Amino acid sequence: MKKGKRIDYLTFKKKASRIRYGNLALILAIILIIIAIICVSCSSSSKKKSDEENSDTEGNSGGSTTDIIEEEADPEASTSSDPTQQSSYLFTSVTVSSDELGTGTLILVNNNIALLNEVNEEDLVTVYGYKNSAYKVSDNSVSVLPETVEALNEMFLDFYNATGNNYVMVRSGYRSFDYQQELYEEELASTGEDSSTLVAKAGYSEHHTGLAVDFTTYNGSSYSDFDGEGDYEWIMENCYKYGIINRYPEGKESITLIDNEPWHFRYVGIPHAQVMYENDMCLEEYISYIKNYTIDTGFLLVNADDGAQYIIYYVPMSDSDTTTIYVPLMDDGETAYPYEISGNNVDGFIVTVTLSEGTGVASSSDTTEDDTTSEYEAGEAESAENSELESE
């Protein structure tokens, strides 16, 4: 027979007593909690009724309490966002190679900073082959990148429509390293100096980028015939609307390390050109300035003259072979806003995001009489080109 477990009775009674009184204490606690909830509920109901009566009274007497409450509850106010802040977007990521640091429309090249990546000459187009009749070109060998000639076409067409002047000539565009070296050596031989502030060293010229051009005037004897005055003041004041800047402005010589050249222009893109124009910046200053705007500190918001809206920000190059760049998505959470990434040729990348398209500043039609430069015009200008020393 299995023996039962021995239990000390006194101990059992004490334990039973503790359980019984413990249960009573628990029941009492529950009752008190229920009473407390009922009291709070009654108090809240009474307060709500009092508030409603006060609100009705104030509304009937012309008070402003109701209006304030409605404004605070406005759903549009709660969903508004700041386009300059990271928190306003979802993002996708792309990676760029460190080899791309020297490519893009915002690469900085000057007497201290050599171009890291040579332009693929197969990507160039001749100005002569793509220009409209609102301006001239010295000969059919002048080449630039497509975005440069597109901007020139738009700008010169509007310039012609504003002034009736179509005598601006594009005299110089892309130059190879070898050709630039020839020009540099010729300049030093003519001046007897060890360096030049007029012609850049090979590898350090803006003309290597395919984004830079020099202007003169038709039948002009030198670049200085284009002085940015008279009719040409229109170009100096409006070129930024087409993404073009005067690269070596007066007063910036100590920064650019090149003498003032009113005839030398550079394509950088519309929002960047506008910021530089409005803030009297040369490209060197802008490249430094834009580093203040990152995905963490906030984006630079640019409202262009044609109604387009952009955000711009800087991403430092990583220590690895690739750099991850985050790009904002549209409201659907899947599609990226249109964007461009350019290396700065120094230490990082500049991201330009188009939040909304503008109306465009270019005229819709070419009102000039011909869409090509005549063979006579090109041949005569080419003769002048060969007799004139190149600048920068």
Side-chain angles (χ1 to χ4, degrees), residues 137-196:
V137 63
S138 61
D139 65 82
N140 57 13
S141 69
V142 178
S143 300
V144 293
L145 289 173
E147 52 265 46
T148 306
V149 74
E150 289 172 6
L152 291 175
N153 283 343
E154 294 178 354
M155 181 180 73
F156 281 129
L157 181 56
D158 285 353
F159 171 66
Y160 173 81
N161 289 334
T163 66
N165 184 331
N166 69 335
Y167 286 96
V168 178
M169 177 179 288
V170 176
R171 188 165 188 167
S172 182
Y174 166 79
R175 297 180 197 154
S176 67
F177 282 23
D178 289 342
Y179 182 46
Q180 187 68 29
Q181 183 63 28
E182 292 178 17
L183 295 175
Y184 187 70
E185 291 174 357
E186 289 175 5
E187 167 70 0
L188 298 188
S190 67
T191 62
E193 301 291 337
D194 295 330
S195 62
S196 173

Side-chain angles (χ1 to χ4, degrees), residues 11 16 72 94 164 176 199 224 233 237 271 278 306 322 324 377 388:
T11 302
E72 291 176 348
V94 296
S176 67
V199 179
S224 60
E233 187 176 357
E237 295 296 324
E278 292 177 346
D306 69 344
T322 60
T324 300
E377 170 187 315
E388 177 67 25

Side-chain angles (χ1 to χ4, degrees), residues 19 23 36 41 74 83 103 143 153 166 173 180-181 183 260 262-263 286 288-289 311 313 335 355 380 390:
I19 293 174
N23 291 338
S41 176
D74 185 356
T103 62
S143 300
N153 283 343
N166 69 335
Q180 187 68 29
Q181 183 63 28
L183 295 175
N260 173 37
W263 58 82
Y286 181 72
S288 295
Y289 170 75
I311 54 172
Y313 53 102
T335 308
L355 297 182
E380 182 176 85
E390 302 279 8

Side-chain angles (χ1 to χ4, degrees), residues 18-35:
R18 286 198 299 270
I19 293 174
R20 184 172 62 253
Y21 286 111
N23 291 338
L24 289 175
L26 178 61
I27 293 171
L28 181 60
I30 292 173
I31 293 173
L32 291 174
I33 290 172
I34 292 172
I35 293 173

Side-chain angles (χ1 to χ4, degrees), residues 65-86:
T65 303
T66 303
D67 293 337
I68 294 173
I69 293 173
E70 289 178 352
E71 288 176 4
E72 291 176 348
D74 185 356
E76 293 185 1
S78 62
T79 58
S80 62
S81 60
D82 182 351
T84 68
Q85 296 302 309
Q86 175 198 127

Side-chain angles (χ1 to χ4, degrees), residues 6 17-18 38 58 73 82-83 138 154 165 177 191 198 202-203 207 211 236 238 248 342 375 377:
R6 184 177 176 178
S17 177
R18 286 198 299 270
I38 293 172
E58 291 175 357
D82 182 351
S138 61
E154 294 178 354
N165 184 331
F177 282 23
T191 62
L198 182 63
H207 286 283
L211 300 165
M236 308 300 284
N238 290 278
Y248 304 116
S342 173
E375 294 181 5
E377 170 187 315

Side-chain angles (χ1 to χ4, degrees), residues 118-126 130 143-147 210:
E118 290 191 59
V119 172
N120 183 349
E121 294 189 7
E122 294 182 357
D123 294 335
L124 300 169
V125 298
T126 63
Y130 286 84
S143 300
V144 293
L145 289 173
E147 52 265 46

